Amino acid sequence: MMKPLETLLAIKVLGLVDGLCANDRRVAAVLIEHFNRRTNRCDPGLLRIAGLLGISERTVIRSVKRLE
């Protein structure tokens, strides 16, 4: 089970990863924030992520592919 401190550290590490654009980092942060530590699932939809960040769903898809 992931602990709250690990979530915070994961968000901080995003700033150190080379090769990610700003939207990649923002999408990653939203994914980390939506991670359910009890179920180990992360289920925000593309539309939800796009709406939260004010970007297109296609941009979210491209960012997720780069993050993978």
Side-chain angles (χ1 to χ4, degrees):
M1 176 183 276
M2 185 178 257
K3 298 175 184 153
L5 179 58
E6 292 170 323
T7 301
L8 176 63
L9 291 175
I11 290 173
K12 287 187 173 201
V13 166
L14 287 176
L16 303 174
V17 178
D18 288 332
L20 296 180
C21 70
N23 280 332
D24 297 345
R25 294 177 201 285
R26 294 171 66 213
V27 168
V30 168
L31 290 172
I32 292 167
E33 287 296 321
H34 279 79
F35 181 73
N36 185 321
R37 290 186 290 274
R38 280 180 274 136
T39 64
N40 285 327
R41 292 183 55 107
C42 184
D43 295 324
L46 296 174
L47 187 60
R48 170 111 174 114
I49 296 170
L52 287 170
L53 298 177
I55 58 178
S56 72
E57 288 181 68
R58 185 70 194 129
T59 299
V60 174
I61 291 168
R62 284 192 299 268
S63 288
V64 168
K65 285 183 188 252
R66 284 190 291 269
L67 292 167
E68 288 176 340

